[in-house]
Amino acid sequence: FAGLIVFSAPASLQAKVFYTQKEALALAFPEADRVEKETYILTSEELESIQKSARSRLTSRLVTLYTAWQGGERIGFAHIDVHTVRTKPEGFLVVLDGEGHVEQVVVLAFYEPLDYLPPQRWYDLFMGRSLEDKLRLGRDVDAITGATLSARAATEGVRRMLAYHRVLLN
């Protein structure tokens, strides 16, 4: 086929979408009667408080959070954190129980080479953690050789969700 060139990247270099938003929320809250979405426009005070608590800068004053309900009881909260790892985005869902402890961290999409994606068992290390835990990479959270930037970005994303809970949801 003259003039036709096909480029194919190795599987480890291709972007991967693991779950849609709808699938992720269903996975996070299988027992929920309803999941409500609320978008916040942060005040200067809220922005400063969240950044201080999370030890991470926010790139936007606009934050969307999800609250899951079973009957009349709040059973959990979630946020889809989208951030740049090296030069490409990653999106993951951070789920908190009704008390503000991490219940799940699930990668939704990863556009860096998959070799840089930490395994799910690493994300599971956040389970049960709260903002009271320092969550410092390499100290409180294991660092990962070959995925340092991914691990740093994920750790900051989890801390941001915990800070959203403290400032906006309590």
Side-chain angles (χ1 to χ4, degrees):
F1 299 111
L4 178 64
I5 300 174
V6 177
F7 293 97
S8 177
S12 66
L13 297 180
Q14 295 178 354
K16 180 81 173 155
V17 175
F18 300 100
Y19 299 100
T20 66
Q21 174 183 325
K22 185 177 180 180
E23 292 168 337
L25 290 170
L27 177 71
F29 304 115
E31 69 285 353
D33 299 315
R34 69 187 189 283
V35 177
E36 296 175 354
K37 174 182 175 180
E38 188 164 359
T39 301
Y40 298 84
I41 300 172
L42 302 176
T43 65
S44 295
E45 294 79 21
E46 290 168 335
L47 179 73
E48 184 178 323
S49 180
I50 289 167
Q51 289 182 148
K52 183 178 180 185
S53 293
R55 297 183 321 276
S56 174
R57 296 203 48 82
L58 299 181
T59 58
S60 173
R61 287 182 180 260
L62 194 64
V63 177
T64 300
L65 302 173
Y66 300 87
T67 302
W69 297 85
Q70 186 176 43
E73 184 181 343
R74 287 190 313 188
I75 58 171
F77 307 96
H79 173 64
I80 296 174
D81 194 277
V82 178
H83 52 265
T84 300
V85 174
R86 278 185 23 224
T87 59
K88 295 186 168 69
E90 170 187 33
F92 64 85
L93 180 75
V94 180
V95 180
L96 305 182
D97 64 20
E99 302 298 316
H101 295 90
V102 177
E103 197 165 87
Q104 286 183 59
V105 179
V106 179
V107 176
L108 306 180
F110 193 78
Y111 290 89
E112 294 285 355
L114 294 179
D115 292 343
Y116 300 148
L117 178 63
Q120 183 59 47
R121 69 180 180 277
W122 180 83
Y123 290 97
D124 291 344
L125 295 173
F126 290 103
M127 291 184 59
R129 303 290 189 100
S130 72
L131 201 52
E132 305 312 313
D133 298 299
K134 293 194 186 299
L135 297 180
R136 295 170 298 184
L137 188 63
R139 292 183 182 168
D140 311 299
V141 178
D142 293 339
I144 299 177
T145 303
T148 303
L149 297 177
S150 301
R152 180 178 299 129
T155 302
E156 289 177 1
V158 170
R159 284 196 315 251
R160 280 191 295 272
M161 176 52 186
L162 292 167
Y164 295 149
H165 179 266
R166 175 180 281 171
V167 175
L168 301 173
L169 301 171
N170 262 338

